[in-house]
Amino acid sequence: MRIFTASYDYSHPFERVSLASWRKYPNPMNPNVRSVDILDRKVSPDGRLLTNRLIAAEWNAPGWLEAILGKGVTYIHEESEVDPVNRTMTLRAINLSFSRYVTVEEVCRYEADKNDPGVTHFSQEAQISVLGYTWGGIYKKMESVMHDRIEKQASKGKEAIEHVLDKIESEMKELGESATALATGIEKEVAEVGTSFAGIAESLSAEAARMAEKGFNMVKEEFDGVVGGSVRASAAATAAAANDDDAAAAARSTKAAGESAAK
């Protein structure tokens, strides 16, 4: 049995790194991965996300090893568990192809740093066991080849995660810029609408003032007409009465003069 181990840190929060793990394939660093299919996914009663996946990848082993194990596409079964409370993600994988001759059991774990929320720890352990080939030291050579391949794939896997993290960061930046531009546009439109409403309100206010003034003038004219007419009628009546009085007085005076002359 050979054991491969690796560990390193990502300078990103756990939520982002776990998302990058889900989006790891396809990527330019692992072109041999042909497909990733979700077989089952559910949430446990305590809130953990449990997923079973089937991964198909091209074997591309040395010719002598393909002569023993076969060649073509290999299949790997993966079980994963995401614990959002403790902020951990654990992936367990085992090969389904060539399992009569060799088994590779791998455990990968992502865990948020307890003191720095912007750091995520990663650890990997793979156990390589060759079955049946004990003659001529062939199993040791097979284990060595498998160990080297896993080490190489682990390095590419780290690059792949970093690649996806950069992509996610770029997407978040673009989303932020789009949101800022949208907010600025909305603010500008709101300001323009406010200016338009202010202009409309001002126009309405001026029009209302003109209508009020016009109505007041109309009422004033009507009032002046009514009052003026009454005053003029009263003055005419007074003048007429005064004329009547003057005429009566003149008549009395003439009558009195006539009576005096007759005597």
Side-chain angles (χ1 to χ4, degrees), residues 92-235:
R92 297 177 175 86
I94 188 170
N95 62 296
L96 301 178
S97 302
F98 320 131
S99 57
R100 290 184 300 169
Y101 310 107
V102 59
T103 61
V104 178
E105 298 181 73
E106 182 182 59
V107 179
C108 296
R109 181 178 175 85
Y110 299 91
E111 183 176 7
D113 187 274
K114 302 299 183 183
N115 301 314
D116 189 346
V119 174
T120 302
H121 303 298
F122 172 80
S123 62
Q124 178 182 10
E125 180 178 298
Q127 295 183 359
I128 307 160
S129 302
V130 176
L131 309 174
Y133 290 92
T134 59
W135 45 271
I138 189 68
Y139 75 96
K140 289 185 179 180
K141 189 173 182 179
M142 291 173 65
E143 286 180 346
S144 179
V145 170
M146 296 297 293
H147 181 279
D148 293 344
R149 285 177 61 83
I150 292 173
E151 184 176 17
K152 185 178 181 180
Q153 290 299 320
S155 178
K156 290 183 177 181
K158 182 178 183 295
E159 294 178 10
I161 292 293
E162 293 285 3
H163 170 76
V164 178
L165 286 169
D166 291 341
K167 187 176 181 180
I168 292 174
E169 189 169 353
S170 177
E171 292 172 351
M172 293 175 63
K173 183 179 179 181
E174 291 178 2
L175 183 61
E177 291 175 351
S178 298
T180 300
L182 179 61
T184 302
I186 292 175
E187 184 178 356
K188 183 179 179 181
E189 290 183 5
V190 169
E192 291 176 353
V193 170
T195 302
S196 299
F197 272 120
I200 294 172
E202 185 177 354
S203 299
L204 290 175
S205 178
E207 183 65 22
R210 285 194 296 271
M211 292 179 65
E213 184 179 1
K214 183 177 179 180
F216 174 77
N217 290 335
M218 291 176 63
V219 172
K220 183 175 182 298
E221 290 176 0
E222 185 71 19
F223 178 79
D224 288 346
V226 172
V227 173
S230 298
V231 170
R232 285 192 295 273
S234 177

Side-chain angles (χ1 to χ4, degrees), residues 17-152:
V17 175
S18 60
L19 175 60
S21 178
W22 289 122
R23 295 177 55 180
K24 183 178 179 180
Y25 304 111
N27 68 76
M29 294 75 182
N30 301 108
N32 61 308
V33 176
R34 300 277 295 274
S35 64
V36 179
D37 297 306
I38 297 176
L39 304 178
D40 181 53
R41 173 170 283 172
K42 60 184 177 181
V43 178
S44 66
D46 58 354
R48 292 174 295 120
L49 178 64
L50 308 176
T51 306
N52 287 322
R53 299 196 298 179
L54 181 66
I55 302 172
E58 295 180 358
W59 175 228
N60 296 330
W64 66 268
L65 188 54
E66 286 186 345
I68 298 174
L69 302 180
K71 61 181 180 179
V73 177
T74 61
Y75 293 93
I76 302 164
H77 179 242
E78 177 195 81
E79 294 181 349
S80 64
E81 173 188 305
V82 180
D83 186 340
V85 176
N86 296 309
R87 302 178 72 201
T88 62
M89 180 178 187
T90 305
L91 303 97
R92 297 177 175 86
I94 188 170
N95 62 296
L96 301 178
S97 302
F98 320 131
S99 57
R100 290 184 300 169
Y101 310 107
V102 59
T103 61
V104 178
E105 298 181 73
E106 182 182 59
V107 179
C108 296
R109 181 178 175 85
Y110 299 91
E111 183 176 7
D113 187 274
K114 302 299 183 183
N115 301 314
D116 189 346
V119 174
T120 302
H121 303 298
F122 172 80
S123 62
Q124 178 182 10
E125 180 178 298
Q127 295 183 359
I128 307 160
S129 302
V130 176
L131 309 174
Y133 290 92
T134 59
W135 45 271
I138 189 68
Y139 75 96
K140 289 185 179 180
K141 189 173 182 179
M142 291 173 65
E143 286 180 346
S144 179
V145 170
M146 296 297 293
H147 181 279
D148 293 344
R149 285 177 61 83
I150 292 173
E151 184 176 17
K152 185 178 181 180

